[in-house]
Amino acid sequence: KKTRTLLFQELGTPPSEAVLGLDASGSFLIGLEECNSTLKLVQRAVPSSHGRKSASLIQKLPLECPVFINHDDEESSVATIPIEILLSSDSRMGIVRIQNSSTPEDTTGTLIALDLRTGKTAFSPNVRLRHLNNTKTIRNLFWNVTQIPIVPKDSPNWLCRKVKAITSAHVVFNDEDDGYRITWIIPDEREEIAEKEMLLSAQKHSSVSHINSSNKAIHEVNILQREHTWEGCSNLVALEAFLSVEALLNDIRSRRKRVFGYPRVVEYSYELVSMDRSRYVTLVICFANGPEQAIAVVVQFDIFTQTYHELKWGKKHRQQLQSSVHEILLKNWSSQYAFNQRMEDLGVGPFCCCALKKHIDKKDWRHVLDDSQNIISCKNTNPTFWSDFITDPTIHKEHRITIASLYPDCDIFSNAAVRKELPAPVLRCRSESSEIV
């Protein structure tokens, strides 16, 4: 496949504009600019191969950020404040995550939902942004969905009896340290998007657990709370809720009081693995079980019915450590467990070699993950390519998995290179049809 190379100096972008990358198809540039204390997302058309070489302006979209703070008036906020953009795979809908300041200890910021086609935005200020500086990726926080739960506005609890089928919608998870704020965003103009309300498929509801088709006990739990934190264009945000991971863990432990000593408070860490079929959220939760043992559980939670079942358990013995070190240990293990689970679910990387399962299950494979580009590699599912490396990791081959292959529903654009004053790398689009050098 032939890749078209664009020279950055020929694009003609102004010095005040930070070019962050190419959209999935290589059709336009995504950038940031600050003008008169207003932060703007800049969209420019990639020049045609036979026309002019400069990138023509499509739009500058103001990003409303009422709590935006710049601690250095002499330097652009684009160069100082951590900013990340998650753009849907069709390059229409997105979420912008902006930290309130350049201070590393500041974990609050603003979420901005946007529709690039209409230029409409909505924002949720002063939210926690735990993952902004403390994770391998944030690609797992954005998912395409085809169904949205319908919850009565006058209902204080999460009561879903109907769902809306829609051909273009997205779910955004925001990690807030004790759970996820979940937001369903939809295009501002939906004339060409099919919508249909339908009754939720029949589920068995009772006060006791029941068994699913895979012989896993399904438990009912009330841990979702409806939220209303978004301002701006109300058409973009269809629904918002908060999923309390702490409440979920408490319910899991309460069913095994003799094993886990419930209700004693424990340290824990968690990671989002996936969201499937618009409703099933898979999580890894790691928690301390006494001073010398940590437990991991993979849980699948149904957002529509507020039921869950445990998919897998694991444990790790450890020496007695300080409380702060416990937290680091649990965060590290939950991250490792989540990535391994995702690779196993998709059968990619080392997990495409089923015959070598005993060699890969408990190893930490995060060192083969690459989040520097929005490219999906065709080598990820090639057993021949991976088998030798699994048995002998000293083999000097380029065994890398692009994290975009694990989480393909969005592309990420960040100003990290601008803030760190690093030389601009080669920027490639997902389709690999174009690159900027």
Side-chain angles (χ1 to χ4, degrees):
K1 179 165 51 174
K2 188 174 181 180
T3 301
R4 181 184 172 211
T5 301
L6 305 169
L7 299 180
F8 179 76
Q9 59 266 32
E10 293 181 353
L11 296 178
T13 58
S16 61
E17 192 175 302
V19 176
L20 305 184
L22 290 156
D23 80 306
S25 64
S27 302
F28 57 83
L29 305 175
I30 292 291
L32 290 170
E33 179 184 63
E34 184 181 5
C35 182
N36 298 324
S37 299
T38 301
L39 186 66
K40 297 181 180 180
L41 185 146
V42 183
Q43 189 180 9
R44 292 184 178 273
V46 170
S48 64
S49 55
H50 303 292
R52 63 180 186 178
K53 295 183 178 180
S54 61
S56 57
L57 179 66
I58 298 176
Q59 66 174 331
K60 292 187 177 182
L61 185 59
L63 301 176
E64 295 187 56
C65 192
V67 294
F68 192 65
I69 301 171
N70 184 5
H71 292 299
D72 188 348
D73 294 333
E74 297 181 358
E75 193 169 7
S76 169
S77 297
V78 175
T80 57
I81 306 295
I83 303 170
E84 293 168 316
I85 303 167
L86 285 73
L87 192 62
S88 62
S89 52
D90 63 1
S91 303
R92 173 166 185 177
M93 302 293 295
I95 288 286
V96 184
R97 298 156 49 90
I98 307 174
Q99 190 167 303
N100 279 354
S101 71
S102 58
T103 306
E105 294 77 17
D106 190 351
T107 58
T108 59
T110 296
L111 295 177
I112 301 176
L114 53 87
D115 184 338
L116 284 180
R117 189 174 301 175
T118 65
K120 297 294 180 63
T121 63
F123 60 90
S124 179
N126 284 323
V127 296
R128 296 294 298 272
L129 295 177
R130 181 176 80 100
H131 267 321
L132 200 58
N133 297 308
N134 191 32
T135 187
K136 188 81 174 177
T137 188
I138 59 171
R139 294 182 190 272
N140 62 334
L141 302 181
F142 192 101
W143 299 87
N144 299 335
V145 295
T146 57
Q147 291 183 342
I148 297 175
I150 298 176
V151 182
K153 292 183 179 180
D154 57 353
S155 173
N157 299 318
W158 185 267
L159 183 64
C160 177
R161 291 291 182 264
K162 292 182 179 180
V163 296
K164 179 184 291 185
I166 185 168
T167 56
S168 179
H170 310 279
V171 167
V172 179
F173 290 79
N174 186 54
D175 189 346
E176 300 190 359
D177 280 333
D178 58 348
Y180 290 103
R181 185 173 304 280
I182 308 173
T183 305
W184 285 261
I185 60 173
I186 51 181
D188 179 44
E189 294 178 351
R190 302 191 294 280
E191 290 82 358
E192 300 177 1
I193 297 174
E195 295 186 37
K196 182 177 68 173
E197 289 190 12
M198 56 188 181
L199 288 173
L200 188 62
S201 58
Q203 298 280 342
K204 181 177 180 181
H205 294 277
S206 65
S207 60
V208 297
S209 301
H210 54 283
I211 306 297
N212 67 2
S213 58
S214 59
N215 292 323
K216 300 285 188 180
I218 296 181
H219 311 292
E220 296 185 16
V221 62
N222 185 20
I223 59 173
L224 277 175
Q225 296 178 344
R226 185 157 185 178
E227 300 280 341
H228 303 277
T229 66
W230 290 82
E231 305 173 35
C233 180
S234 59
N235 288 343
L236 293 182
V237 178
L239 187 65
E240 181 186 12
F242 183 77
L243 169 60
S244 173
V245 175
E246 183 173 350
L248 177 59
L249 176 59
N250 285 340
D251 191 82
I252 292 171
R253 294 177 62 242
S254 70
R255 299 176 188 277
R256 297 168 177 80
K257 296 179 182 179
R258 294 182 179 179
V259 179
F260 299 131
Y262 184 86
R264 186 172 61 87
V265 177
V266 297
E267 295 171 292
Y268 68 96
S269 181
Y270 58 91
E271 291 290 342
L272 178 65
V273 177
S274 63
M275 183 173 187
D276 299 316
R277 288 172 284 172
S278 304
R279 64 189 291 179
Y280 299 108
V281 177
T282 301
L283 299 165
V284 169
I285 308 176
C286 296
F287 59 95
N289 186 39
E292 297 183 358
Q293 190 182 68
I295 301 292
V297 57
V298 182
V299 183
Q300 187 176 82
F301 177 74
D302 186 341
I303 285 182
F304 291 176
T305 62
Q306 290 207 79
T307 58
Y308 74 90
H309 65 278
E310 298 125 3
L311 299 176
K312 185 188 296 185
W313 288 87
K315 64 180 178 180
K316 181 177 289 189
H317 293 279
R318 55 198 171 91
Q319 297 178 349
Q320 191 164 356
L321 302 171
Q322 295 295 326
S323 177
S324 59
V325 183
H326 282 184
E327 183 180 358
I328 296 172
L329 173 71
L330 293 172
K331 284 183 178 179
N332 183 63
W333 194 28
S334 62
S335 173
Q336 172 193 333
Y337 216 106
F339 276 116
N340 279 12
Q341 184 66 42
R342 183 60 176 169
M343 286 189 280
E344 181 180 353
D345 291 344
L346 298 179
V348 302
F351 292 86
C352 69
C353 304
C354 298
L356 299 173
K357 185 174 175 59
K358 66 179 181 179
H359 294 282
I360 60 180
D361 264 350
K362 297 183 179 180
K363 289 187 178 180
D364 186 353
W365 295 103
R366 286 174 296 174
H367 62 284
V368 303
L369 299 175
D370 177 17
D371 203 25
S372 62
Q373 298 286 350
N374 291 319
I375 297 171
I376 299 176
S377 173
C378 60
K379 293 181 179 179
N380 287 343
T381 56
N382 186 339
T384 304
F385 181 76
W386 285 97
S387 57
D388 292 340
F389 178 75
I390 292 171
T391 54
D392 185 7
T394 61
I395 294 177
H396 295 290
K397 281 186 178 181
E398 187 57 31
H399 290 80
R400 303 289 287 174
I401 301 174
T402 57
I403 298 185
S405 301
L406 304 181
Y407 304 102
D409 288 355
C410 72
D411 290 337
I412 289 183
F413 305 91
S414 168
N415 68 339
V418 178
R419 290 187 291 108
K420 297 175 182 178
E421 299 182 350
L422 297 174
V426 176
L427 300 176
R428 296 186 178 91
C429 65
R430 178 189 295 216
S431 64
E432 298 188 73
S433 59
S434 303
E435 64 180 14
I436 302 175
V437 297

